[in-house]
Amino acid sequence: MPSTTTETREKIPSGSTKAPNKFVATMRKIYRPLGFQKGYNFPLFIIFGGAMLGFVFARAMFLNVSGNAKTSFKNQTVPGEWFWYQQGFRRIGITLHLATCIPLGFLMVWQFLPIVRHKFLMFHRINGYIVILLVFLTNVGALMVGRHAFGGGLEIQLGVGVLALVTIGSVCMAYYNIKRLQIDQHRAWMLRGMFYLGTIITLRIILKAASPIITTLGNYYQSQPCDQVEFGYAMYGFGPYTKMLYPQCTDPTAQVNAKADMNGPGPENIEAALSLSFGMAFWLALFLHMVGPEIYLALTPAEGERLRNVSYERQLEAGYKHPGSAGLTSDRWGDAPVWRPATHTDRDSGIVTPDSLSK
């Protein structure tokens, strides 16, 4: 006698699917017009794209670099930091960094909206070139000011350098692969590069949490030059108090041992709390943003395979050698098995045959 399971299977027509519930049906009406085909991609875009846009809008006021408005970068940055940025090549560096990273954050979000890639391909291409240029320029500015960013400790200088290296390297890899029509690798490297750039957002969340913690611990100190401390006090109208609090500052080359305390009483204490937390926050955020895209790419192999089949067809039409692997792929540059195009449609994974891609 056949089992109930077998009877049930025989009654279900081949290829039938369960009707989506109301929530799924409603969400599809929202994200399908935007070009999203996978339900999980839309909330990810909202979360990470929304975070980037929110950060950009919140920091747009920093385009006023040296103004006297309360919202200008000069008045909102870490106390005492403007001492180093007010003139010279570091003034050029911070201006270049702010003038490029804010537009970069706004423009790069639209590169990941499917409808833009499908319906406005020319905008996608031009915007992509602008994004790559801005990545280079904003990193140049960051490297120019890294020596004194949030105290400019060695761990911070190294972090700025590593972030510049991985972001520039990623967009270069993405550019090379798209020129070779290797769309799957272009997707992977652009995801990595843009996610690395998002480090600055997570960094500040961690910084907000860490600074009060070391304030509570009460045993963290930072050495600061007297002329920087005096400059910070002068910005807040308390210039004469510097030498009263720190008699050694009669010598402007002397150092102050400032306690890390977000509650003050002086600007040097707030700067110490933020600066001492910044390096740790930087590296933790960078670690999270380097692991994140690798997890996503590992969990979405079907999309990567689909795009590789698209790459195969386009490279074949363009006359490239090794179609499907004309870019930087592991089967040509590593020891992975030689990749072969799909020969049938896999309904479960969504892999499409090269012959059916143009249909």
Side-chain angles (χ1 to χ4, degrees):
M1 181 177 179
S3 66
T4 305
T5 304
T6 305
E7 291 176 351
T8 304
R9 286 177 180 171
E10 290 174 352
K11 292 177 182 178
I12 297 175
S14 176
S16 66
T17 57
K18 184 179 179 181
N21 59 43
K22 289 184 178 181
F23 174 77
V24 173
T26 301
M27 291 302 297
R28 284 179 178 174
K29 291 179 181 179
I30 297 173
Y31 67 72
R32 286 282 172 84
L34 297 176
F36 292 100
Q37 298 302 316
K38 303 293 185 181
Y40 57 80
N41 279 331
F42 179 64
L44 289 175
F45 176 80
I46 294 297
I47 293 169
F48 295 111
M52 179 57 71
L53 288 177
F55 181 80
V56 166
F57 292 139
R59 290 294 185 268
M61 60 187 181
F62 284 178
L63 292 173
N64 179 6
V65 180
S66 59
N68 293 321
K70 290 184 178 180
T71 56
S72 69
F73 174 79
K74 181 180 76 172
N75 291 319
Q76 289 292 318
T77 189
V78 178
E81 196 171 49
W82 187 248
F83 172 76
W84 304 103
Y85 296 160
Q86 60 182 319
Q87 59 187 356
F89 80 94
R90 290 191 179 91
R91 171 65 181 277
I92 298 172
I94 193 62
T95 303
L96 177 63
H97 178 64
L98 293 173
T100 52
C101 74
I102 293 173
L104 169 61
F106 177 77
L107 293 176
M108 76 181 193
V109 172
W110 310 111
Q111 293 298 95
F112 296 92
L113 193 62
I115 193 173
V116 171
R117 299 196 301 271
H118 300 155
K119 301 292 185 181
F120 307 99
L121 183 58
M122 185 56 65
F123 171 80
H124 179 73
R125 289 175 177 173
I126 295 173
N127 193 47
Y129 285 118
I130 295 173
V131 165
I132 291 173
L133 176 63
L134 291 176
V135 168
F136 275 86
L137 293 177
T138 197
N139 277 304
V140 169
L143 291 170
M144 291 173 70
V145 301
R147 173 62 183 88
H148 291 289
F150 285 86
L154 290 176
E155 78 285 1
I156 295 173
Q157 295 181 60
L158 178 62
V160 172
V162 170
L163 185 58
L165 181 65
V166 296
T167 52
I168 291 175
S170 294
V171 297
C172 287
M173 294 285 281
Y175 176 78
Y176 177 81
N177 277 291
I178 199 59
K179 298 304 287 186
R180 298 291 296 174
L181 302 179
Q182 196 70 47
I183 302 170
D184 56 312
Q185 289 300 311
H186 173 72
R187 162 189 176 253
W189 283 107
M190 284 304 290
L191 277 170
R192 291 183 178 113
M194 298 304 103
F195 214 76
Y196 298 159
L197 288 169
T199 297
I200 58 174
I201 301 175
T202 305
L203 182 160
R204 279 161 174 78
I205 296 173
I206 299 171
L207 185 64
K208 287 281 188 180
S211 300
I213 291 174
I214 67 170
T215 295
T216 302
L217 293 174
N219 55 358
Y220 284 86
Y221 293 82
Q222 182 190 45
S223 179
Q224 299 175 12
C226 279
D227 50 358
Q228 176 187 328
V229 174
E230 189 168 11
F231 180 86
Y233 271 84
M235 280 191 67
Y236 292 95
F238 302 112
Y241 287 94
T242 308
K243 294 181 177 63
M244 293 173 57
L245 294 170
Y246 304 106
Q248 69 269 35
C249 285
T250 52
D251 177 6
T253 62
Q255 296 281 320
V256 166
N257 194 28
K259 183 180 180 180
D261 192 334
M262 289 297 293
N263 300 316
E268 76 279 12
N269 304 113
I270 299 172
E271 180 183 3
L274 292 171
S275 298
L276 291 173
S277 304
F278 189 83
M280 176 276 299
F282 196 126
W283 280 102
L284 179 55
L286 183 57
F287 169 77
L288 294 174
H289 281 255
M290 295 189 81
V291 171
E294 302 308 319
I295 294 175
Y296 175 80
L297 291 170
L299 292 175
T300 55
E303 179 63 9
E305 185 68 12
R306 184 187 73 82
L307 290 175
R308 191 158 188 181
N309 277 284
V310 174
S311 302
Y312 169 83
E313 185 182 63
R314 295 187 181 180
Q315 290 168 359
L316 193 65
E317 291 175 354
Y320 284 129
K321 293 181 179 179
H322 312 290
S325 303
L328 298 175
T329 58
S330 58
D331 59 334
R332 287 195 61 207
W333 297 90
D335 62 355
V338 176
W339 180 84
R340 303 293 182 190
T343 56
H344 65 281
T345 300
D346 186 334
R347 292 179 180 175
D348 293 330
S349 65
I351 297 174
V352 183
T353 67
D355 293 337
S356 65
L357 289 171
S358 58
K359 294 180 181 179

